[in-house]
Amino acid sequence: MSLAHTAAEYMLSDALLPDRRGPRLKGLHLELPLDRMVKFIAVGFPLLLMSLAFAQEFSSGPPIRCFSPSNFSIRQAAYVDGSCWDSLIHHEQDELGQNKMKSLWPHKALPPLLALAVVMYLPVLLWQYAAQPALSSDLLFIISELDKSYNRSIRLVQHMLKIRQKSSDPHVFWDELEKARKERYFEFPLLERYLACKQRSHSLVATYLLRNSLLLLFTSAIYLYLGHFHLDVFFQEEFSCSIKTGLLSDETHVPHLITCRLTSLSILQIVSLSSLTIYTLLVPVIIYNLTRLCRWDKRLLSIYEMLPAFDLLSRKMLGCPINDLNVILLFLRANISELNSFSWLRVLCVLKDTTTQKHNIDTVVDFMTLLAGLEPKPKHLTQRCDENP
């Protein structure tokens, strides 16, 4: 018997999780993987296009080339190029002979791209300052309590094993064990009540919904911008520029209009098409992030049902999934590597389904008492109870 108890003690000691010490906040992921991907693409893609525009300018020269009169010097031709690039106004005459002006400013790709990167980073800042502080404290507490609850269950079985060894009358031990189960002495309901309170809180889910809604709103604004401004100048490579302003307005040798060619047209076309494609591909990802709030992650909850006083599923305590608890469960899934108890509980769930006495196993305590040799109740004690009521 002593050899069996020693083996049980070794088994329970190996099942204990090591105590974690030191800062754990650095290892937490406070953004979901898909949200992080959307952030990198939505913010990084405009910056990538800006570097492409810079590279094109250095490799191909100025973004504009004007056909100045032959009597202009090199400096005068350079002035014409700079003036027409600064204005980017196309002059043309309508059917009535009136002068019409058309702005070509979308060809200046750098300022809109920089503004796009800043605007797309605003939802990230909202989440970072409005939600991450509270989320990090919630995750640290819940992860710590989940691991502690598992360790408490193992230590409880170790204590039960020691009591069983010291008990002179096994019948008294079994009676005390049954009484403890009926009175629910093995349960520690602090974590369950805290998670139940999170179902009535909506600050995290409101911030998460606002973040993704802003991303959809800004993406729609990109479509309007591309359709209204870029489509009108998408194929226009040449335009007529007027430099007869200021001191040059009375100069007779300066032509009224000068034809200029936009060598940066390919940059505009690449920016337009690639932006339309990339942000269109991001829309389904953002919508999927929102739809995940409409269902519970019951797989994670079902595994932690093995812990005492963690009956959110079995007691049907889950209501509408649009609350802070569902957001926390999503981030627990993203930080599953920080949950040391998850792998142990998943193994115990698999073993529970394969054992012949799974109807008697509800928690880790039940399963570990079975593995330690404390269950089921011996038959000769049952007969003794029947003979001596």
Side-chain angles (χ1 to χ4, degrees):
M1 181 64 69
S2 60
L3 184 60
H5 281 291
T6 302
E9 290 178 358
Y10 287 155
M11 183 267 297
L12 293 174
S13 298
D14 292 340
L16 280 174
L17 301 177
D19 293 332
R20 284 194 175 188
R21 296 181 181 180
R24 300 178 58 184
L25 184 60
K26 294 182 179 179
L28 288 179
H29 299 295
L30 299 179
E31 277 188 315
L32 297 177
L34 286 180
D35 290 330
R36 196 179 305 115
M37 182 194 73
V38 170
K39 178 187 72 173
F40 286 145
I41 295 177
V43 178
F45 182 71
L47 300 178
L48 177 64
L49 292 179
M50 287 181 60
S51 63
L52 176 64
F54 273 120
Q56 193 271 344
E57 183 175 349
F58 281 112
S59 61
S60 302
I64 190 174
R65 186 167 299 167
C66 295
F67 302 98
S68 304
S70 58
N71 59 343
F72 276 31
S73 65
I74 297 178
R75 290 186 177 181
Q76 289 174 327
Y79 171 79
V80 171
D81 291 348
S83 177
C84 290
W85 174 251
D86 290 338
S87 63
L88 274 183
I89 296 178
H90 174 51
H91 295 262
E92 60 181 354
Q93 292 184 347
D94 57 10
E95 298 177 354
L96 300 178
Q98 296 180 351
N99 188 27
K100 292 178 59 179
M101 294 185 296
K102 175 183 175 182
S103 177
L104 304 177
W105 69 268
H107 283 276
K108 296 182 178 181
L110 297 184
L113 289 175
L114 181 59
L116 177 59
V118 172
V119 167
M120 283 300 184
Y121 195 68
L122 292 180
V124 179
L125 290 178
L126 171 69
W127 178 257
Q128 183 176 351
Y129 289 102
Q132 283 190 1
L135 177 63
S136 62
S137 61
D138 286 337
L139 288 177
L140 285 175
F141 171 75
I142 293 172
I143 291 175
S144 176
E145 283 301 311
L146 288 174
D147 289 346
K148 287 179 180 178
S149 180
Y150 170 81
N151 271 353
R152 282 195 295 263
S153 301
I154 301 300
R155 291 193 178 102
L156 179 61
V157 179
Q158 287 180 325
H159 183 66
M160 291 166 55
L161 186 63
K162 293 179 181 178
I163 294 177
R164 176 66 182 87
Q165 286 179 310
K166 297 177 181 179
S167 176
S168 58
D169 188 359
H171 179 64
V172 176
F173 169 77
W174 294 115
D175 289 343
E176 290 293 331
L177 181 59
E178 290 299 326
K179 180 181 177 181
R181 293 185 189 278
K182 291 179 181 179
E183 298 294 334
R184 305 181 68 178
Y185 291 157
F186 301 156
E187 298 184 4
F188 308 93
L190 173 64
L191 180 59
E192 183 186 86
R193 293 179 181 178
Y194 181 76
L195 295 180
C197 290
K198 283 299 176 179
Q199 288 195 83
R200 298 187 291 271
S201 176
H202 299 86
S203 58
L204 288 177
V205 71
T207 308
Y208 190 79
L209 289 173
L210 181 59
R211 171 184 178 171
N212 288 277
S213 299
L214 286 177
L215 286 174
L216 290 177
L217 178 63
F218 294 154
T219 304
S220 302
I222 292 173
Y223 293 152
L224 294 176
Y225 167 75
L226 293 177
H228 187 268
F229 294 104
H230 282 219
L231 188 61
D232 193 30
V233 298
F234 191 78
F235 298 103
Q236 186 164 354
E237 187 176 7
E238 294 184 356
F239 71 101
S240 298
C241 174
S242 175
I243 61 172
K244 296 194 69 172
T245 57
L247 296 177
L248 299 178
S249 58
D250 297 330
E251 296 292 334
T252 56
H253 67 282
V254 176
H256 181 67
L257 295 176
I258 297 177
T259 302
C260 297
R261 181 174 177 269
L262 291 165
T263 58
S264 62
L265 178 64
S266 59
I267 295 296
L268 175 71
Q269 294 174 340
I270 292 175
V271 168
S272 301
L273 293 178
S274 58
S275 299
L276 183 64
T277 303
I278 293 298
Y279 288 103
T280 300
L281 293 176
L282 286 182
V283 169
V285 180
I286 299 173
I287 294 176
Y288 174 75
N289 288 338
L290 292 173
T291 57
R292 285 191 298 178
L293 297 176
C294 300
R295 62 182 185 276
W296 293 102
D297 187 3
K298 294 186 177 181
R299 181 184 175 190
L300 181 65
L301 289 175
S302 62
I303 291 177
Y304 275 94
E305 286 273 307
M306 288 286 290
L307 292 179
F310 199 86
D311 303 332
L312 295 175
L313 281 179
S314 59
R315 295 186 188 178
K316 298 181 179 180
M317 299 174 62
L318 299 179
C320 176
I322 304 179
N323 50 52
D324 287 356
L325 176 59
N326 199 9
V327 176
I328 291 174
L329 291 178
L330 291 176
F331 279 90
L332 283 177
R333 171 65 68 177
N335 291 276
I336 205 70
S337 60
E338 298 292 324
L339 281 167
N340 291 339
S341 56
F342 178 79
S343 58
W344 278 94
L345 290 174
R346 185 172 58 179
V347 171
L348 293 180
C349 287
V350 174
L351 295 178
K352 172 188 172 182
D353 294 335
T354 58
T355 184
T356 57
Q357 301 181 23
K358 61 181 180 180
H359 57 280
N360 295 325
I361 301 173
D362 293 326
T363 64
V364 179
V365 177
D366 299 329
F367 194 84
M368 298 310 287
T369 52
L370 178 64
L371 291 180
L374 296 179
E375 293 284 358
K377 190 174 181 179
K379 292 183 178 179
H380 68 277
L381 292 180
T382 305
Q383 294 174 358
R384 179 180 172 181
C385 293
D386 296 338
E387 293 173 359
N388 300 305

